[in-house]
Amino acid sequence: MKVYISGAITGTYDYMERFKAAEDKLTSEGMNVINPALINSNMPEDTTYEEYMKVAFCLLEMCDAIYMLKGWGESCGANREYGYAYAKDMIIMHEHVEAEG
């Protein structure tokens, strides 16, 4: 199964680490992963937000599922990706917060 990672990027400082941790987790579970944070880091500096979103939808179209990182609801882009995945009847998975104790 090919999975696209979705979560907040704009306005966050640790998105590369969060996306990489999710990529490692999903890969260890036998999934093929598309990490848009890594792909975006190779885009030209003058790439606009809407251009990033166009790329995101192309990548998402290649996948069977989307993996929503915790806090995704605060991200306009992740909400758009969620809506796209929902409309395409894709598998929607969510990162769960570990219980503290």
Side-chain angles (χ1 to χ4, degrees):
M1 177 166 50
K2 194 177 295 180
V3 181
Y4 177 92
I5 302 169
S6 179
I9 292 179
T10 303
T12 65
Y13 66 93
D14 64 343
Y15 69 90
M16 290 296 284
E17 294 84 3
R18 290 185 294 107
F19 277 69
K20 177 65 172 137
E23 178 182 6
D24 291 345
K25 174 192 181 305
L26 295 168
T27 300
S28 74
E29 294 174 2
M31 297 179 206
N32 295 316
V33 180
I34 292 183
N35 179 344
L38 183 59
I39 293 166
N40 287 351
S41 71
N42 291 299
M43 299 292 286
E45 281 188 33
D46 64 346
T47 303
T48 67
Y49 174 81
E50 285 304 321
E51 289 170 332
Y52 282 121
M53 291 308 300
K54 285 179 186 177
V55 171
F57 293 130
C58 288
L59 295 170
L60 191 50
E61 180 68 29
M62 298 167 47
C63 295
D64 307 298
I66 189 169
Y67 184 76
M68 307 304 299
L69 296 176
K70 58 188 171 188
W72 70 270
E74 303 298 316
S75 165
C76 181
N79 272 279
R80 290 171 68 181
E81 292 165 345
Y82 176 89
Y84 183 91
Y86 183 83
K88 293 285 190 175
D89 201 28
M90 297 173 70
I91 297 166
I92 299 174
M93 303 181 300
H94 295 270
E95 178 181 39
H96 296 288
V97 179
E98 296 292 324
E100 293 183 32

